Amino acid sequence: MNLLTALQDGRHDSHDALRIDGTALSREQLLGAAGAVAARVAGAKAFAVVARPDARTVAAVVGGLLAGVPVVPVPPDAGPVERAHILRDSGAELLAGGDGESGPAEVPVDLAERHDFAGPEPAPERPAFVLYTSGTTGPPKGALLSRAAVAADLDALAEAWGWTSEDTLVHGLPLFHVHGLVLGVLGALRHGSRLVHTGRPTPAAYAEAAGSLYFGVPTVWSRVVAEESAARALAGSRLLVSGSAPLPVPVFERLAALTGRAPIERYGMTETLITVSTRWDGERRPGSVGLPVAGVATRLVGEDGEPVPADGESVGELQVSGPTLFDGYLNRPDADAEVRTADGWFRTGDVATLGPDGFHRIVGRASVDLIKSGGFKIGAGEVEAALRDHPAVADAAVVGAPDPDLGQAVVAFVIPDGPVTGDQLTAFVAERLSVHKRPRRVVLVDELPRNAMGKVLKKRLLEG
C-alpha cells in the first residue's frame, strides 16, 4: 500500500509544492532528501524525530515512512524527563534533529541531498508512527498507528471534505501530533494538494497564504477573528477546519460572519485518528462535530452499559470502531485493556449526545483529568507528578479551568512545603515537561478538598 501516493507518483509537482516556514520544496526535492534519510534508517527498530516546524522534520518523517521504520515524533519543547521517557520507551535507535545530547545515534538530514531509495513497499499493517499521548496519570503512552489506519483516515477525510489535488492546504500546527503531522502533512502528500505550513499559526500568516483549505485549533480561530482584516482575507478559501478541542459557538459564528464560510468541526483522538466530522457538502452546525467518516461506526453507552437513545439530549460515553483505530499502546497491555470493550470497540472517555439525524455533539470529558489547552491534550497527573518533584511542594492538584483563548488553562493548586512562588513552580514544570504543559496559574493553598477515600475533589477546585 502506497501511503504517500501523490509524493511518489510525482503528481501536480511544482517548485513550491511544499512551503514550510518559508522554505520551498518541490515534491521531487522532498523525495530525494527523504530517500537519503530512508537509506540511513532502514532496518531500525524505531526512528525518533524532534518535530520542529521546518522542512527537515518533514524530510526526516517521510524518510522513516519510506523505509518502513516506525517514526516517533518528539515535541521540540519536551523537557529532559519527557524526552528521555519517549526515547527509552519507544526503543528508538536513531534520532533526527537532536541537539547532541547523549542518546540514539544522530541521523543527518540535508535538504540538498538526493537519493532514489529503492526499498520494498512496507506492509500495510506495519506501524507508521508511535505517537505519545498523555493519559490521566503517569508518563505519556506510545500509541501504535499502522500505515493502513493512516491511509484509511486520510481517504475518509478526502471524501468528507472534498479534499483534492486542486487544494492549497494552509496551517501552522505542531508537527508532533495527529492534527499537524498526519492530517496536515501526510494528507497533502497523499492527495496531492499544495502545502503551506506557516511556521506559527498567526492570523497574519494565515491571511497571507491564500489557501483553499485551512486547519486550525480553537485558539487559532479565536485569534483570527480578533483581527478582522486577517479573517476577511480568508473569504476566498473553500474550507476552514477546526479540531483538537470544541470550537466556542461565538468563535464559530464570528468566523462565519467575517469569512462567509461556516467552519467544519471534526472529532478524533490520537488512538482513533479523525472519526467524526461535518462535511463539505452538508450542514455545519455550531457545537456539533457531525457524522462518522467513511468506514467508522460510533455508539453511545450509558454507565449501565446499555445503549443511549439517539435523541439529541441523552448523554453517554462515545465509543468508536473502524479501520482508523490504533493497534494498541506500546508495551502497555494493561492500558489497552482499559480502553477496549469486550466486543472490540474503543472507549474514548468522552461523553456526547447523538441526534436522530446522526449528528454528534461532544459534551465533555468523562474525567476532569484530561485537559485540552490550545489544541494540546495534557494529562493532569503528569503535571502533578512534576510539581511534586519540587522540594518545596507537599502536594498538588492540576485542573483545566475555562479560558476564552486556550479553551482550558492548566491551573495548579499547590500545598507548599517551604518558600516557593508560583512563577518558580511554573518554570520548574516547563524545564521537565513540554512548555505547553506548564501551569498558567499556580494557587498556593493550605489543603486540598478530598472525599472520604482521600481523592481530591477537582470539581470543587474548579467551582472555587
Side-chain angles (χ1 to χ4, degrees):
M1 178 196 62
N2 188 337
L3 178 58
L4 305 169
T5 308
L7 174 65
Q8 292 181 273
D9 69 11
R11 285 186 291 147
H12 304 281
D13 203 3
S14 66
H15 74 282
D16 64 345
L18 299 96
R19 183 173 292 276
I20 305 168
D21 198 19
T23 299
L25 291 173
S26 68
R27 290 192 177 86
E28 181 181 8
Q29 289 173 320
L30 173 61
L31 190 59
V37 173
R40 295 186 176 105
V41 305
K45 177 182 178 182
F47 174 37
V49 178
V50 179
R52 299 180 180 89
D54 59 33
R56 286 183 175 83
T57 292
V58 174
V61 169
V62 172
L65 294 174
L66 290 175
V69 176
V71 176
V72 185
V74 180
D77 64 350
V81 173
E82 183 178 7
R83 179 179 293 198
H85 166 73
I86 292 173
L87 296 176
R88 181 179 61 253
D89 188 69
S90 67
E93 300 169 334
L94 300 170
L95 173 70
D99 49 16
E101 77 281 8
S102 60
E106 183 72 24
V107 175
V109 181
D110 184 350
L111 296 177
E113 198 168 3
R114 299 291 178 267
H115 182 85
D116 184 13
F117 181 74
E121 181 66 29
E125 63 271 14
R126 284 281 298 166
F129 295 102
V130 184
L131 283 174
Y132 278 79
T133 179
S134 293
T136 57
T137 59
K141 301 184 292 291
L144 293 163
L145 288 166
S146 72
R147 301 171 70 89
V150 172
D153 199 56
L154 293 177
D155 290 348
L157 293 178
E159 191 274 334
W161 297 342
W163 188 356
T164 74
S165 60
E166 300 302 315
D167 279 307
T168 293
L169 170 61
V170 178
H171 73 93
L173 302 174
L175 298 185
F176 54 88
H177 64 174
V178 167
H179 198 168
L181 179 59
V182 178
L183 275 61
V185 173
L186 298 195
L189 298 180
R190 184 167 179 81
H191 301 315
S193 58
R194 182 169 174 262
L195 171 64
V196 178
H197 189 288
T198 60
R200 296 184 61 207
T202 64
Y206 273 38
E208 293 169 5
S212 62
L213 175 62
Y214 284 81
F215 290 169
V217 299
T219 301
V220 171
W221 296 124
S222 68
R223 292 173 182 174
V224 166
V225 299
E227 297 189 22
E228 289 194 12
S229 60
R232 294 187 189 281
L234 304 186
S237 64
R238 184 180 67 81
L239 214 61
L240 309 176
V241 181
S242 183
S244 298
L247 184 66
V249 172
V251 177
F252 180 107
E253 294 174 342
R254 187 68 175 149
L255 192 58
L258 291 172
T259 66
R261 301 284 183 270
I264 288 280
E265 291 191 69
R266 89 304 182 279
Y267 168 83
M269 302 177 67
T270 300
E271 295 90 340
T272 67
L273 299 177
I274 308 308
T275 52
V276 183
S277 179
T278 45
R279 297 178 53 88
W280 72 275
D281 56 354
E283 181 184 359
R284 305 173 196 181
R285 190 180 304 167
S288 171
V289 293
L291 305 164
V293 301
V296 170
T298 65
R299 67 186 185 189
L300 295 185
V301 177
E303 293 182 354
D304 57 1
E306 295 299 315
V308 170
D311 57 12
E313 296 184 6
S314 300
V315 173
E317 181 192 42
L318 179 61
Q319 299 180 357
V320 301
S321 165
T324 69
L325 265 62
F326 78 140
D327 288 330
Y329 296 114
L330 183 66
N331 305 321
R332 291 293 304 275
D334 57 326
D336 286 341
E338 291 177 3
V339 298
R340 306 278 188 179
T341 66
D343 55 353
W345 289 61
F346 179 80
R347 302 181 59 186
T348 68
D350 284 317
V351 292
T353 65
L354 180 61
D357 56 2
F359 267 60
H360 294 65
R361 180 170 62 90
I362 306 301
V363 176
R365 190 68 189 163
S367 167
V368 296
D369 287 324
L370 195 63
I371 301 166
K372 296 182 177 181
S373 181
F376 297 102
K377 294 179 180 178
I378 302 166
E382 187 182 7
V383 183
E384 289 164 356
L387 286 165
R388 292 183 186 121
D389 284 341
H390 193 286
V393 171
D395 204 356
V398 170
V399 298
D403 183 273
D405 185 34
L406 298 171
Q408 289 181 305
V410 178
V411 178
F413 292 82
V414 173
I415 301 175
D417 188 21
V420 69
T421 67
D423 288 345
Q424 289 171 337
L425 293 175
T426 294
F428 183 83
V429 172
E431 290 172 359
R432 283 153 179 78
L433 306 178
S434 298
V435 174
H436 65 262
K437 296 178 180 179
R438 72 193 187 282
R440 299 285 177 156
R441 183 163 60 97
V442 176
V443 181
L444 301 179
V445 296
D446 295 328
E447 60 181 5
L448 297 170
R450 300 178 183 274
N451 63 15
M453 300 298 292
K455 183 177 180 181
V456 175
L457 301 172
K458 291 192 174 182
K459 289 184 178 179
R460 190 175 299 175
L461 290 173
L462 287 167
E463 292 168 357

